[in-house]
Amino acid sequence: MKYTLLFFLVFSTILAKAQLTVIKGTITDGKTNKPLPFVSVAFTGSNVGTTTDNTGNYTLRTTESFYKIQVSYLGYKTVNTTIIPGETQTFNVKLYTSGQTLKDIEIKSAKKQRYRNKDNPAVELIRKVIEHKDENRIENYNYVEFQQYEKMVFSFTNLSANIGNKKIFRPYKFLFENRDSTSVPGKNLLPVYMDEKITQNYLRKKPETKKVVVLGNKKVNFGSFIDDDGMNAYLNRMYSDVDIYSNNIFLMTNEFLSPIADEAPTFYKFFITDTITDAENHKLVELSFTPRNTTDMLFEGKIYVTIDTNYAVQHATLSINKNINLNWVRSMTVNQNFERNTNGRYQLTKSDMIADFGITKKGKTGLFGERTVNFRNYVFDKPRPDTTYDGLSGYVSEEAKERDNTFWVRSRGTDTLTTAESKVYKNIDSIQTIPAFKRTMDIASLVLAGYKSFGPFEIGPANAFYSFNPVEGFRLRFGGRTTPELSKRYYFETYGAYGFKDEKWKYFLSATYSLNNKTIYKFPQNYIRASVQRETKIPGAELQFVGEDNFLLSFKRGVNDKYLYNDYYRVDYVREFESHLSYTLGFKNWKETPAGSLVFNNTINGLPNNIPNITTTELSFTMRYAPHEQFIQGKIYRITIPSKYPILSLGYTQGVKGLFGSQYTYSNLKARVEKRFYLSQLGYTDFITEGGYSFGRIPYPLQTIHRANQTYAYQLDSYNLMNFLEFVSDHYASVTLDHCFNGFIFNKIPLLKRVKLREFISFKALYGGIRDENNPALHPDLIQFPMDATGRPLTYSLSSKPYTEGSIGVGNIFKFFRIDLVERFNYLDHQNAPQFGIRTRVRLDF
């Protein structure tokens, strides 16, 4: 048996060697004879290939039968060579450039002259393009309709050829073998994500309307481990549609000034570098452009302009300068093609954007993303009935998600998938069945989201298992919730917590019923929830995306010993619509019991009186409108992806005396507007304004206790140097401004521009007050403001002047952290009021 096995082993080795094809050689420039690195060499008709090294050498091996190799390199003519399968051969190839011949170029002088706009023919030409850009925009037509096919692919790049053989990755070997080394010179791509969409688009000029009908949508699905919709929304946000005729182009969460913006000649340098003739014998001018300051959020590249009455863009290539302050992005290029239509105008027919991502700028491995969009079947100035434009734009129906393969082959047209791309959907579906993948995702979910899944239920959040505070002391908490694997209709969540200092139990229990048979963690939500809770709370603490029992937020500055025990009984109905209009109806019975050094007391008939607790019953209605909102749905919180569109909120609450023991009748009205303003290379500003008014005679715990922050984390929505329970109002208005310069200043300082830091500045102002009827100082029978042992007040109403604070900050530290120096400008005579403070924030951005 041993000899038999040895025989088969030797025989199979000889056979394999006899069938092995080995192609090697050197690729050089046909004119200079210099070796060319990163040239793509592949067997024709396959995705088996390689690239040349720094000396131009390559080696290509296969056991399959191929008869040709293809050698391709950007800017050079492609070469196809016949080979003999099953042999070792050497092919040294010379490549020749494929550039077009220059015409009509007059070289006046070799001496470098100072660039200026005046009497510059390139600037005169770009001003003509700017002058005619409104005429060349597709929105200039009364009616337009077209079909759009788009494909987005993300791939790992240049992974080790042996990575699939390592023990940890061996279960995924089939995934690592699906590589493409021919599509992009110098890149060995392993596609892992793909999204395809086919839409019919209708545009109307008056009234201005755009209706997008999604005919089909197909994308990779990672299952319950990842929010696919949120990830898709974020990727599409990064790879937004590029309108060359717009003043600003939004890419990678930043705004870039277009090279044909109204103010482009102020920020760009333009050069006429060539004149050419296209396939239809139309004369074009090649106009090259570069930023005047290479650190600003600007493009560099070329546009080809028609020399006729249109002055239209026929082709555009936009890329980014390596010096700009853009995280994770090594390179980015946008190519757009325009074709002349029957009206003599040019419309966009193809837009392709590629970006190379990496931890470092010079590394080879990383992530490569490409979004290709094709526009076809244009129809101009054909009126449609008003019903064509009715309904929700961009809605993806279940029918569109379930299109079969025949539909996609037909819809792609000439945009066929590569061999590697065609296997992505199946490969990602397959890895979800691998136990090792499930274990990896479980660990990632526990670390990143704080939950450990056990199928029908999960436990967490882990960061709340242990915390401490002055009232409860050492606190332990344990809880969990059901998942859609148990039911898509019914959801249950609970936790129990115990404080070893106050020796009291806290708890939460909720039951939720989904009315649309969809998970409540997906948009659009439509559910009803009943809950009961007993928990501690700091009056005036409203933390973003974290709970007060988060361990890291147990550390706070100053005195922090005034708490409430809150007992809640709630019923909430939440309804969201595809238009991103939503409303919430709520019922809440609420008992507040003071804890720690906080007491509720008043004066009755001249005698001090202690109030053990207060009880209220509230009915509430909240409406929210966030047009075009996109977000990432986490395990606990929904994080909105910032955009230029505003978010509007309006809420009304009615307290009903006598209902379930309620002691007060009152009304509360609140409104809020938030919006991000993009300022091109100057960065962006986050703007928030809100106001509220309480009607009725109520004690201060039922008024607005303004959001304060005594943690060391910077909170955009709170006042970072205000103490908890410091200010109370029954009417107020506030404004918050937070501006990021995106490195506009630091990028011009030699020692700082290399570390890609970003500048922040913020300002917050709060106006408010208490009417006489609710002022404890005028009405002793109302619950009095807290005081210290010496009788000095700790809680105040705002006077005629607003509370203000501001900060200057440095962000993008190690690409994740922001540090702010915060200054409080007034009310410094209050107890324990700090004038300055250092606050930090974790922030991931491009």
Side-chain angles (χ1 to χ4, degrees):
M1 180 61 68
K2 288 189 297 182
Y3 292 110
T4 303
L5 291 174
L6 180 60
F7 169 82
F8 279 106
L9 178 61
V10 173
F11 179 79
S12 61
T13 302
I14 295 172
L15 183 62
K17 190 171 184 178
Q19 295 176 338
L20 182 65
T21 302
V22 180
I23 309 297
K24 57 185 178 180
T26 304
I27 311 298
T28 56
D29 184 292
K31 187 175 181 180
T32 64
N33 290 322
K34 291 184 178 180
L36 295 175
F38 309 117
V39 176
S40 178
V41 184
F43 292 107
T44 304
S46 77
N47 63 349
V48 180
T50 187
T51 57
T52 58
D53 60 19
N54 291 329
T55 60
N57 294 317
Y58 72 94
T59 301
L60 196 58
R61 295 182 176 88
T62 185
T63 56
E64 301 179 43
S65 295
F66 296 108
Y67 296 89
K68 284 187 177 182
I69 62 169
Q70 184 180 83
V71 182
S72 59
Y73 195 45
L74 190 64
Y76 288 80
K77 296 178 180 178
T78 299
V79 174
N80 290 282
T81 302
T82 303
I83 63 171
I84 302 173
E87 295 186 6
T88 298
Q89 301 149 80
T90 300
F91 286 95
N92 298 319
V93 181
K94 293 182 180 293
L95 295 183
Y96 294 89
T97 58
S98 59
Q100 293 168 309
T101 305
L102 298 180
K103 298 178 182 179
D104 302 334
I105 295 296
E106 180 182 358
I107 301 176
K108 294 183 178 180
S109 172
K111 182 179 179 181
K112 184 177 180 180
Q113 298 181 353
R114 182 176 178 270
Y115 180 88
R116 62 180 183 177
N117 285 349
K118 187 177 180 180
D119 300 325
N120 185 336
V123 175
E124 293 175 6
L125 178 58
I126 199 65
R127 292 194 191 281
K128 286 288 186 182
V129 177
I130 295 171
E131 181 183 337
H132 289 79
K133 67 179 184 178
D134 288 339
E135 303 168 15
N136 289 312
R137 299 188 72 169
I138 196 172
E139 291 82 3
N140 189 51
Y141 293 95
N142 291 322
Y143 301 92
V144 182
E145 56 187 80
F146 58 90
Q147 193 175 87
Q148 176 176 322
Y149 167 77
E150 58 183 275
K151 178 181 68 175
M152 184 185 299
V153 183
F154 276 81
S155 309
F156 290 117
T157 58
N158 299 331
L159 296 178
S160 169
N162 298 318
I163 189 171
N165 296 323
K166 295 184 178 180
K167 184 177 180 180
I168 189 173
F169 296 119
R170 204 168 292 157
Y172 313 104
K173 189 172 183 179
F174 70 94
L175 182 66
F176 292 113
E177 290 176 344
N178 185 41
R179 303 206 188 196
D180 181 358
S181 59
T182 62
S183 298
V184 181
K187 298 289 184 185
N188 190 302
L189 305 179
L190 174 65
V192 292
Y193 178 84
M194 187 160 68
D195 174 33
E196 295 178 276
K197 184 183 291 184
I198 182 79
T199 59
Q200 185 67 29
N201 299 261
Y202 300 92
L203 280 72
R204 181 174 60 185
K205 189 174 184 178
K206 292 182 180 180
E208 185 177 345
T209 312
K210 181 177 182 180
K211 176 67 178 295
V212 178
V213 180
V214 180
L215 305 177
N217 189 200
K218 186 177 184 180
K219 60 186 177 183
V220 162
N221 184 0
F222 289 96
S224 61
F225 304 106
I226 296 174
D227 176 22
D228 294 312
D229 292 335
M231 181 174 66
N232 181 258
Y234 192 77
L235 295 178
N236 276 284
R237 180 76 175 139
M238 291 165 52
Y239 283 68
S240 302
D241 292 333
V242 175
D243 180 5
I244 189 70
Y245 289 111
S246 176
N247 281 331
N248 294 292
I249 297 172
F250 190 91
L251 290 172
M252 300 296 164
T253 71
N254 291 280
E255 269 199 347
F256 294 79
L257 190 72
S258 170
I260 56 175
D262 294 343
E263 301 300 322
T266 304
F267 296 94
Y268 285 101
K269 294 180 181 180
F270 293 93
F271 307 90
I272 296 177
T273 50
D274 199 358
T275 58
I276 64 174
T277 302
D278 66 11
E280 298 179 359
N281 207 33
H282 298 126
K283 193 173 183 180
L284 307 172
V285 171
E286 181 186 87
L287 201 58
S288 298
F289 54 90
T290 60
R292 289 177 181 264
N293 189 313
T294 59
T295 61
D296 288 344
M297 286 287 181
L298 301 168
F299 293 109
E300 58 185 17
K302 299 177 180 179
I303 57 174
Y304 292 82
V305 180
T306 63
I307 304 303
D308 53 18
T309 57
N310 291 324
Y311 292 98
V313 176
Q314 191 260 8
H315 177 81
T317 298
L318 314 175
S319 59
I320 59 171
N321 189 283
K322 65 180 181 179
N323 296 320
I324 68 172
N325 194 333
L326 197 61
N327 283 340
W328 320 107
V329 181
R330 293 176 180 147
S331 64
M332 181 176 67
T333 303
V334 178
N335 284 291
Q336 292 195 315
N337 293 324
F338 298 77
E339 291 184 3
R340 189 183 179 97
N341 59 36
T342 56
N343 299 317
R345 298 287 183 181
Y346 287 80
Q347 82 271 332
L348 182 64
T349 56
K350 185 172 183 178
S351 180
D352 184 72
M353 176 184 171
I354 58 175
D356 186 14
F357 302 90
I359 301 297
T360 62
K361 288 286 185 181
K362 297 182 180 180
K364 292 184 178 180
T365 59
L367 197 63
F368 186 85
E370 180 174 13
R371 181 175 185 252
T372 302
V373 186
N374 279 282
F375 307 84
R376 57 205 183 206
N377 303 334
Y378 277 95
V379 178
F380 298 99
D381 291 331
K382 180 181 178 180
R384 291 279 185 178
D386 289 344
T387 54
T388 302
Y389 307 95
D390 293 341
L392 191 63
S393 180
Y395 173 68
V396 184
S397 65
E398 292 301 318
E399 182 183 6
K401 296 177 183 178
E402 301 299 329
R403 297 294 189 184
D404 59 20
N405 190 55
T406 303
F407 170 87
W408 285 107
V409 171
R410 183 178 68 252
S411 299
R412 292 179 187 125
T414 58
D415 298 289
T416 57
L417 303 182
T418 66
T419 304
E421 289 173 349
S422 64
K423 299 178 182 179
V424 173
Y425 295 123
K426 182 180 179 182
N427 284 350
I428 299 303
D429 287 342
S430 298
I431 66 171
Q432 296 182 53
T433 64
I434 300 174
F437 177 76
K438 294 181 179 180
R439 289 193 298 269
T440 302
M441 290 297 100
D442 276 345
I443 295 172
S445 177
L446 180 63
V447 173
L448 299 176
Y451 280 87
K452 173 67 176 73
S453 177
F454 293 93
F457 68 95
E458 56 189 5
I459 61 172
N463 57 15
F465 286 166
Y466 164 72
S467 61
F468 58 88
N469 61 66
V471 172
E472 297 176 276
F474 172 64
R475 168 185 164 122
L476 292 179
R477 166 178 155 168
F478 187 80
R481 61 187 183 183
T482 63
T483 71
E485 289 189 33
L486 178 67
S487 171
K488 286 188 176 181
R489 286 282 191 184
Y490 302 95
Y491 296 85
F492 301 94
E493 183 173 1
T494 187
Y495 73 77
Y498 185 77
F500 286 82
K501 182 177 180 180
D502 65 354
E503 298 181 342
K504 294 181 183 293
W505 283 97
K506 293 84 186 177
Y507 51 83
F508 173 77
L509 176 64
S510 72
T512 306
Y513 179 72
S514 175
L515 297 172
N516 58 2
N517 200 28
K518 292 182 179 180
T519 169
I520 60 174
Y521 305 114
K522 293 285 187 180
F523 176 86
Q525 296 176 337
N526 184 11
Y527 66 80
I528 186 168
R529 171 180 290 162
S531 62
V532 57
Q533 183 179 31
R534 178 175 175 79
E535 188 55 277
T536 58
K537 178 175 174 57
I538 304 172
E542 298 288 344
L543 304 177
Q544 294 171 292
F545 308 127
V546 289
E548 290 177 22
D549 51 4
N550 185 304
F551 169 73
L552 295 177
L553 297 182
S554 297
F555 303 93
K556 297 180 177 70
R557 63 171 177 83
V559 179
N560 172 40
D561 60 356
K562 293 175 178 58
Y563 277 66
L564 292 170
Y565 290 117
N566 285 331
D567 292 278
Y568 295 109
Y569 296 90
R570 301 184 59 149
V571 178
D572 298 286
Y573 172 63
V574 176
R575 182 73 166 96
E576 293 180 334
F577 298 92
E578 294 285 351
S579 62
H580 293 278
L581 175 69
S582 63
Y583 67 86
T584 302
L585 298 174
F587 164 86
K588 180 172 70 173
N589 181 260
W590 176 23
K591 183 171 75 173
E592 294 181 272
T593 304
S597 66
L598 181 64
V599 294
F600 290 166
N601 55 46
N602 62 357
T603 300
I604 302 295
N605 298 323
L607 298 175
N609 178 56
N610 180 263
I611 301 173
N613 54 63
I614 59 175
T615 301
T616 60
T617 298
E618 296 180 344
L619 303 177
S620 62
F621 173 77
T622 302
M623 181 176 289
R624 183 177 184 271
Y625 181 51
H628 307 286
E629 183 182 32
Q630 296 175 319
F631 43 76
I632 297 174
Q633 179 69 59
K635 290 280 189 179
I636 309 176
Y637 302 101
R638 176 184 286 180
I639 303 173
T640 295
I641 300 172
S643 72
K644 64 180 180 180
Y645 299 102
I647 300 176
L648 313 175
S649 303
L650 181 65
Y652 177 79
T653 302
Q654 179 65 52
V656 184
K657 185 175 181 178
L659 182 62
F660 295 103
S662 177
Q663 300 167 273
Y664 303 94
T665 295
Y666 57 92
S667 301
N668 195 335
L669 185 65
K670 290 185 178 181
R672 176 184 171 100
V673 178
E674 50 188 298
K675 178 175 168 53
R676 172 168 287 188
F677 294 91
Y678 289 95
L679 305 174
S680 193
Q681 65 269 32
L682 294 177
Y684 58 84
T685 298
D686 287 323
F687 168 81
I688 302 172
T689 183
E690 65 176 283
Y693 197 97
S694 298
F695 302 86
R697 190 169 188 266
I698 51 177
Y700 82 84
L702 298 182
Q703 299 173 29
T704 299
I705 301 175
H706 294 294
R707 293 186 296 268
N709 179 26
Q710 288 185 220
T711 73
Y712 295 98
Y714 185 88
Q715 293 285 327
L716 182 63
D717 235 12
S718 300
Y719 301 96
N720 291 285
L721 292 184
M722 183 185 292
N723 294 324
F724 293 134
L725 201 54
E726 184 176 357
F727 287 102
V728 175
S729 300
D730 61 14
H731 61 279
Y732 73 95
S734 68
V735 62
T736 297
L737 297 168
D738 188 70
H739 182 77
C740 173
F741 286 95
N742 259 348
F744 182 77
I745 301 171
F746 287 163
N747 287 350
K748 296 172 178 59
I749 303 175
L751 295 179
L752 294 178
K753 68 180 182 180
R754 295 187 63 181
V755 290
K756 306 292 186 183
L757 298 178
R758 297 176 183 175
E759 322 84 343
F760 290 85
I761 184 170
S762 70
F763 175 77
K764 301 177 182 182
L766 171 65
Y767 296 82
I770 296 180
R771 303 189 306 275
D772 287 348
E773 65 176 319
N774 289 325
N775 191 341
L778 302 177
H779 299 280
D781 60 317
L782 288 172
I783 296 177
Q784 299 297 297
F785 283 156
M787 296 185 180
D788 67 6
T790 64
R792 293 181 60 192
L794 297 173
T795 300
Y796 308 82
S797 64
L798 289 157
S799 62
S800 58
K801 61 181 179 181
Y803 171 90
T804 55
E805 69 178 33
S807 71
I808 55 174
V810 178
N812 210 37
I813 301 172
F814 304 117
K815 293 185 171 59
F816 285 101
F817 299 100
R818 167 179 167 177
I819 298 178
D820 281 74
L821 172 63
V822 188
E823 181 179 3
R824 174 170 168 164
F825 299 124
N826 52 14
Y827 294 102
L828 297 174
D829 56 331
H830 289 187
Q831 280 204 70
N832 304 313
Q835 183 176 1
F836 294 97
I838 301 292
R839 301 293 178 266
T840 63
R841 186 181 184 189
V842 177
R843 176 189 179 90
L844 175 62
D845 208 347
F846 280 90

